[in-house]
Amino acid sequence: MKGGYKLSEKILELNNITKIYEDNTVIKNLNLYVRKNEFITLLGPSGCGKTTTLRLIGGFETPTSGKIYFEGKDITNLPPYQRKVNTVFQKYALFPHLNVFENIAFGLRIKKVSEGEIQTRVKNMLSLVNLDGFEKREISSLSGGQQQRVAIARALVNEPDVLLLDEPLGALDLKLRKEMQTELKKMQQSLGITFIFVTHDQEEALTMSDTVVVMNEGVIQQIGRPEDIYNEPKNAFIADFIGESNIIDGIMLEDFLVEIFGVKFKCVDKGFDNNEPVDVVIRPEDITLSRENNGKIEGYIENVIFKGVHYEMTVNTKNYTFKIHSTKMEPKGTRVYLDVEPDNIHIMKKVR
């Protein structure tokens, strides 16, 4: 149970999806399912294949190979208008010659819905997106955030089972973007429909999602809850891409014991070969500093930046420059010793 509603059985399934443009393989044998009522986010850097995946789900692209199923039915070759999905694009694609009401009503008029029902459904949508009283406004008179709400209302008024959102917050300023993250999540929970959201913004994905799908170079790297993606990254790419990380060469001496730059640290990982070279991932906020020699890694404060809720410090050791986040500031030039609790050390195999 999450967010006051229950995630249910799968509604959408992508089986062995590959998409090739000329000689460029954008999606490589992708397998993914999405559950009813789920807020799932496709996250990754530019060019990783997340928007292509969304367009395949929406019917705007056809896979080179593989199948797409909606509630068990093969929809691989169905056009967009025959799918129970609607899309909100980054650039909104609103009609400048139509007012707010008619923009939202457009899809209903195409379906020849009765005027009475159009009036009711559009007004309900305006209320849902906090635009009561905006019916007669021209699109050009709206702010970016208001235009985004109109685009969402236009998609939702058609009552899709799945709403696809392709970086819809990308054009908003930071404050409005954060407000809309909260609004979108509330909207999704109150409607109880499936949202599939695309973003390259890690914080956005962690804030809004039930499930995060991390992609890189057309391949799914990890699927999991935001907490698991952040705290238990499966490889160095994810650790580096999701938040900030110190990724260090280490030696796994034995189960639960790793060596970093000649210093031994207890950890919670096992199953590696004795003396196996590994990548050690430590988040900046998980490192503690001491001015007293505790036998751990020695260094000095190279730089200090105040970030509002914490200080960001870089600590120069003879082998590596660590990034550290702390609510306590140590002056530049201070000699310090770095320590980490076992639970905060993440060990992963090196990619060969």
Side-chain angles (χ1 to χ4, degrees):
M1 196 81 171
K2 180 171 181 174
Y5 62 94
K6 186 177 182 181
L7 296 179
S8 184
E9 69 273 14
K10 59 188 174 186
I11 188 172
L12 183 73
E13 193 168 4
L14 285 72
N15 283 353
N16 302 316
I17 296 294
T18 293
K19 179 63 178 178
I20 302 173
Y21 295 106
E22 297 179 353
D23 59 348
N24 182 23
T25 303
V26 182
I27 304 292
K28 304 172 186 176
N29 197 36
L30 182 145
N31 289 280
L32 175 68
Y33 70 83
V34 181
R35 296 169 290 181
K36 289 183 179 178
N37 306 331
E38 185 170 26
F39 196 123
I40 186 168
T41 297
L42 308 181
L43 172 67
S46 297
C48 72
K50 57 188 185 295
T51 293
T52 300
T53 301
L54 200 76
R55 290 178 62 81
L56 288 165
I57 294 170
F60 303 105
E61 302 281 355
T62 302
T64 305
S65 61
K67 296 288 185 181
I68 301 173
Y69 296 94
F70 190 93
E71 294 182 328
K73 178 184 176 182
D74 185 353
I75 63 166
T76 309
N77 296 305
L78 281 185
Y81 65 87
Q82 290 184 7
R83 303 188 184 204
K84 297 179 182 179
V85 303
N86 268 32
T87 305
V88 177
F89 299 99
Q90 183 175 0
K91 295 187 177 179
Y92 308 152
L94 298 174
F95 301 114
H97 64 288
L98 300 178
N99 63 22
V100 168
F101 186 98
E102 291 302 329
N103 262 279
I104 298 172
F106 183 80
L108 299 179
R109 296 201 186 284
I110 294 294
K111 293 179 179 179
K112 302 189 184 305
V113 174
S114 71
E115 188 61 32
E117 187 174 352
I118 288 175
Q119 291 288 331
T120 299
R121 285 167 66 173
V122 171
K123 286 180 180 178
N124 286 342
M125 279 298 119
L126 285 166
S127 178
L128 180 70
V129 299
N130 296 318
L131 288 177
D132 289 310
F134 280 68
E135 292 92 329
K136 296 181 180 180
R137 294 276 192 96
E138 297 300 319
I139 294 299
S140 60
S141 72
L142 303 182
S143 68
Q146 290 166 340
Q147 289 186 28
Q148 193 238 27
R149 291 167 193 254
V150 173
I152 291 170
R154 185 179 64 181
L156 290 175
V157 79
N158 293 298
E159 300 178 345
D161 290 339
V162 176
L163 184 65
L164 310 178
L165 301 108
D166 187 8
E167 304 215 38
L169 309 184
L172 305 182
D173 63 59
L174 181 61
K175 184 175 184 293
L176 184 56
R177 186 171 186 146
K178 289 184 177 296
E179 289 174 0
M180 286 308 303
Q181 289 172 10
T182 303
E183 289 297 318
L184 271 178
K185 186 60 182 175
K186 284 181 181 177
M187 215 178 291
Q188 187 261 339
Q189 290 176 338
S190 67
L191 291 168
I193 67 175
T194 301
F195 276 28
I196 304 178
F197 190 89
V198 161
T199 185
H200 63 272
D201 186 307
Q202 302 92 325
E203 182 182 349
E204 196 164 85
L206 297 175
T207 299
M208 301 172 69
S209 313
D210 297 310
T211 304
V212 177
V213 179
V214 184
M215 299 181 65
N216 189 39
E217 297 182 347
V219 177
I220 292 175
Q221 302 291 314
Q222 186 172 352
I223 301 174
R225 299 180 308 152
E227 300 94 324
D228 298 332
I229 295 288
Y230 185 82
N231 292 322
E232 297 294 337
K234 286 192 172 179
N235 57 46
F237 167 80
I238 298 167
D240 190 45
F241 185 73
I242 305 295
E244 295 181 278
S245 292
N246 299 285
I247 303 176
I248 312 137
D249 292 332
I251 301 292
M252 198 67 181
L253 299 176
E254 57 188 52
D255 286 350
F256 313 118
L257 188 65
V258 65
E259 181 179 286
I260 305 171
F261 305 139
V263 179
K264 295 177 182 178
F265 288 85
K266 292 181 180 179
C267 62
V268 297
D269 296 272
K270 62 179 181 177
F272 294 85
D273 294 336
N274 288 352
N275 300 312
E276 179 180 347
V278 292
D279 283 326
V280 181
V281 176
I282 305 172
R283 297 288 188 188
E285 65 270 22
D286 291 333
I287 298 174
T288 57
L289 297 180
S290 172
R291 294 191 186 189
E292 297 181 7
N293 189 341
N294 57 7
K296 297 301 182 181
I297 298 173
E298 180 182 355
Y300 68 90
I301 304 293
E302 184 178 59
N303 197 30
V304 180
I305 301 173
F306 179 58
K307 291 284 190 174
V309 295
H310 67 263
Y311 293 93
E312 181 178 288
M313 295 175 279
T314 53
V315 175
N316 197 319
T317 72
K318 63 180 181 181
N319 302 105
Y320 185 83
T321 300
F322 285 84
K323 183 174 287 186
I324 297 171
H325 296 166
S326 176
T327 55
K328 180 183 177 183
M329 189 268 287
E330 294 286 358
K332 185 175 178 179
T334 304
R335 184 160 299 281
V336 292
Y337 297 87
L338 284 58
D339 202 357
V340 191
E341 292 295 320
D343 285 351
N344 293 326
I345 296 175
H346 308 288
I347 309 295
M348 49 192 63
K349 286 186 176 292
K350 283 190 170 294
V351 179
R352 303 187 187 282

